[in-house]
Amino acid sequence: MAPDSRDAQIEQLLAVNATLLAEVARLTTRVAELEDKLRKSSRNSSKPPSSDGPQVSPRPKKPPTGRTAGGQPGHARHERPLVPPDQVDKRVVLKPRWCGGCSERLTGTDTSPRRHQVFELPQVRPIVTEYEVHALTCTCGATTSAVLPEGVPTGAFGPSVIAVVALLMGVYRLSKRAVPDVMRDLFGLSMSVGAVVGCQLKASEALQAPAEEAKQAVVEEPVKHADETGWREARLRAWLWVVVTSKLTVFMVHRRRNSDAARALLGTPRGVLVTDRHGAYNWWPAYLRQFCWAHLIRDFTAIAERGRDSERIGRALLHEAGRMFDWWYRVRDGTLTRSTFRVYMRDLRRRVEILLTEGSVCLQSKTAKTCKRILRDVESLWTFVRVAGVEPTNNVAERAVRHAVLWRKACYGTHSEMGSRFVERILTTHASLRQQGRNVLEFIRAACVARLRGTLPPSLIPTADLLSDLTATIAA
């Protein structure tokens, strides 16, 4: 073979070899990406536990303690309190007539008899008020019709019916078609689906002012937790946002999951905001933001599952996170002072930041990217150490949004903007009142009455007396 021909063949083979090496590198990267997707689960990502496939190993079961099921010896008993005597509707006095020992006749009265109370629900029938609206004709030929008194609804259903319908839909997550069945079975009241929708809209109007007032109030709170979850409005993608404070919870349906939506809910940056690492909150100052460590643990788990140097870094980060939570639980339980906790956290913070710096130059590209993003706002990892009253996790907001998630799974979202406004207002009302230990049905009914009469509606913001009662209840 001629030298020129041999050199040309070598060059051709080298070119083919370079092409194959590039293809191998591309396929290797693609396989790594696919394997990373297959490894995703509720432990190392934001996927819900229900999406975990059979390849995900179950959580290790705790070893048996040897104790029997149910309440353990020494636990505080939870008994139904007896109704005071003046609130008993019917009293039956039972006295034994004959002695169980000698069969002699018994007389007298027990000074402290055992009180046994049985509760029954009354049969409920609607209270129907009929207004005879007369139209009289004058001698001049004009006909004048009477008008309904102020505060009387022009429709067939009053505030109590509207409040119950709103409660069944927004609190107990019943569909528009299920509500008429419940109203008929429980109250003997016949309603159509259209009437249910009409009651929904009236309840939404009645709750508009209290919900807006609560939304303005959360802006001033010193600590707030925020989260968002998927929603649908008119068959289009939307998001349900929530912000939770110590005494208020506010929801908002928005078409976007970006900083504009977050600003619409949170207003101007005031106080500490606890969130995950979603970029929609990046406009909040880092020194006033707390990253959720439960989400960070998922990131650290994903880092540990990538093998090699990434695995070493991830396992070390998980170890430090575990130590931090052990100390935090002791602070929360009162067995470790906050000042001592701050001293412990100095070395732990230094070790975590060193590990993140190592991860930022790791050969595993996803690990390096994650560590760089965390280091960019590393101050937001430690706000809970510096500021009292701040939790290291965002569990408060995630628990608040679960009720709405269950509702979404049943109804697939809302069909209109008006439906979304009802969702926002009823969820805000329900969650806030539950936080404060107030009756939801009574509040909605009072708001509907205020709407009819044109008076000020009740407020979701608790009064000073209510706050003192709540503080005493929590302390007890």
Side-chain angles (χ1 to χ4, degrees):
M1 180 180 295
D4 293 343
S5 177
R6 185 168 56 248
D7 292 342
Q9 188 175 11
I10 291 174
E11 289 182 5
Q12 184 179 7
L13 291 174
L14 288 174
V16 171
N17 185 58
T19 302
L20 292 176
L21 288 175
E23 183 67 11
V24 168
R26 186 185 69 82
L27 293 176
T28 301
T29 303
R30 178 61 176 163
V31 169
E33 291 175 354
L34 294 175
E35 288 180 343
D36 191 64
K37 288 183 178 180
L38 285 175
R39 282 195 299 267
K40 281 191 175 182
S41 66
S42 60
R43 295 187 186 183
N44 56 24
S45 70
S46 59
K47 295 179 64 177
S50 58
S51 67
D52 289 344
Q55 77 278 5
V56 179
S57 58
R59 298 181 185 275
K61 294 183 178 180
K62 295 181 179 180
T65 61
R67 297 181 297 183
T68 58
Q72 302 301 312
H75 83 287
R77 295 176 62 87
H78 298 280
E79 296 179 334
R80 180 185 302 279
L82 292 173
V83 173
D86 59 339
Q87 296 181 16
V88 173
D89 299 292
K90 181 180 179 182
R91 181 174 288 101
V92 179
V93 179
L94 301 175
K95 294 183 179 181
R97 298 181 61 187
W98 309 99
C99 175
C102 64
S103 301
E104 285 291 327
R105 188 176 184 85
L106 297 176
T107 59
T109 300
D110 187 351
T111 57
S112 57
R114 181 174 65 90
R115 299 170 63 197
H116 175 69
Q117 295 181 345
V118 178
F119 295 81
E120 289 284 354
L121 293 176
Q123 182 180 1
V124 181
R125 293 180 64 253
I127 300 173
V128 181
T129 303
E130 180 177 301
Y131 296 88
E132 293 184 356
V133 183
H134 289 258
L136 302 179
T137 303
C138 180
T139 55
C140 70
T143 301
T144 304
S145 178
V147 296
L148 293 172
E150 185 179 355
V152 175
T154 56
F157 304 113
S160 59
V161 176
I162 296 173
V164 171
V165 168
L167 189 80
L168 292 175
M169 293 181 64
V171 177
Y172 299 108
R173 303 188 294 270
L174 294 185
S175 68
K176 295 179 178 67
R177 298 189 180 278
V179 170
D181 294 337
V182 174
M183 298 297 287
R184 182 181 60 253
D185 293 340
L186 290 183
F187 309 114
L189 183 61
S190 177
M191 294 185 72
S192 66
V193 176
V196 170
V197 174
C199 290
Q200 173 191 356
L201 296 179
K202 291 175 182 176
S204 181
E205 292 174 5
L207 296 175
Q208 178 180 359
E212 286 296 327
E213 182 188 26
K215 184 178 178 180
Q216 297 298 323
V218 297
V219 176
E220 306 295 335
E221 290 293 314
V223 179
K224 31 194 165 266
H225 297 248
D227 198 13
E228 70 289 330
T229 187
W231 194 261
R232 295 194 76 82
E233 181 182 292
R235 299 183 179 180
L236 298 175
R237 186 66 163 168
W239 297 90
L240 180 68
W241 295 73
V242 64
V243 56
V244 184
T245 69
S246 61
K247 53 182 181 270
L248 290 171
T249 299
V250 175
F251 288 85
M252 180 189 72
V253 177
H254 200 280
R255 286 292 181 89
R256 296 289 182 266
R257 192 192 179 207
N258 57 14
S259 59
D260 291 339
R263 290 176 188 274
L265 178 66
L266 298 170
T268 56
R270 296 179 187 175
V272 175
L273 178 65
V274 185
T275 67
D276 54 22
R277 294 192 299 109
H278 181 36
Y281 306 104
N282 285 347
W283 52 276
W284 202 274
Y287 70 96
L288 289 177
R289 187 177 172 191
Q290 173 61 53
F291 285 157
C292 173
W293 273 82
H295 286 77
L296 289 170
I297 285 178
R298 296 176 195 169
D299 294 330
F300 297 162
T301 302
I303 291 173
E305 291 178 351
R306 294 189 181 120
R308 298 186 179 180
D309 203 32
S310 178
E311 180 178 1
R312 176 187 63 81
I313 295 171
R315 290 188 179 277
L317 288 169
L318 287 172
H319 175 71
E320 298 297 341
R323 296 180 67 194
M324 182 274 289
F325 272 109
D326 287 340
W327 296 336
W328 174 255
Y329 293 147
R330 291 180 58 193
V331 172
R332 190 180 61 185
D333 298 339
T335 59
L336 181 68
T337 63
R338 175 168 282 275
S339 58
T340 304
F341 173 67
R342 288 189 179 125
V343 173
Y344 288 174
M345 288 297 295
R346 290 173 187 169
D347 288 339
L348 187 143
R349 173 175 180 171
R350 179 178 56 81
R351 291 191 297 269
V352 167
E353 293 182 1
I354 289 174
L355 288 168
L356 290 173
T357 303
E358 291 180 19
S360 66
V361 294
C362 177
L363 296 179
Q364 221 297 333
S365 59
K366 287 196 173 182
T367 295
K369 182 179 179 181
T370 299
C371 292
K372 287 177 181 177
R373 290 184 62 186
I374 296 175
L375 283 171
R376 185 178 61 195
D377 298 309
V378 70
E379 190 69 27
S380 298
L381 269 65
W382 318 109
T383 305
F384 78 102
V385 181
R386 175 172 50 86
V387 183
V390 178
E391 292 279 335
T393 70
N394 200 29
N395 293 344
V396 172
E398 294 192 353
R399 283 196 300 267
V401 85
R402 286 174 190 167
H403 175 84
V405 169
L406 294 175
W407 192 3
R408 179 196 66 201
K409 289 181 179 294
C411 69
Y412 306 106
T414 49
H415 297 290
S416 66
E417 186 177 344
M418 290 188 296
S420 296
R421 300 295 80 77
F422 172 73
V423 167
E424 295 173 347
R425 295 161 189 171
I426 193 66
L427 288 178
T428 297
T429 300
H430 169 227
S432 297
L433 294 178
R434 285 285 188 260
Q435 277 180 276
Q436 303 166 20
R438 298 163 66 184
N439 188 286
V440 182
L441 180 60
E442 290 179 359
F443 184 94
I444 300 175
R445 183 181 180 278
C448 292
V449 170
R451 171 185 168 273
L452 271 177
R453 297 177 178 175
T455 57
L456 287 176
S459 176
L460 289 172
I461 301 174
T463 61
D465 293 338
L466 180 58
L467 283 175
S468 63
D469 293 340
L470 287 173
T471 304
T473 303
I474 294 172

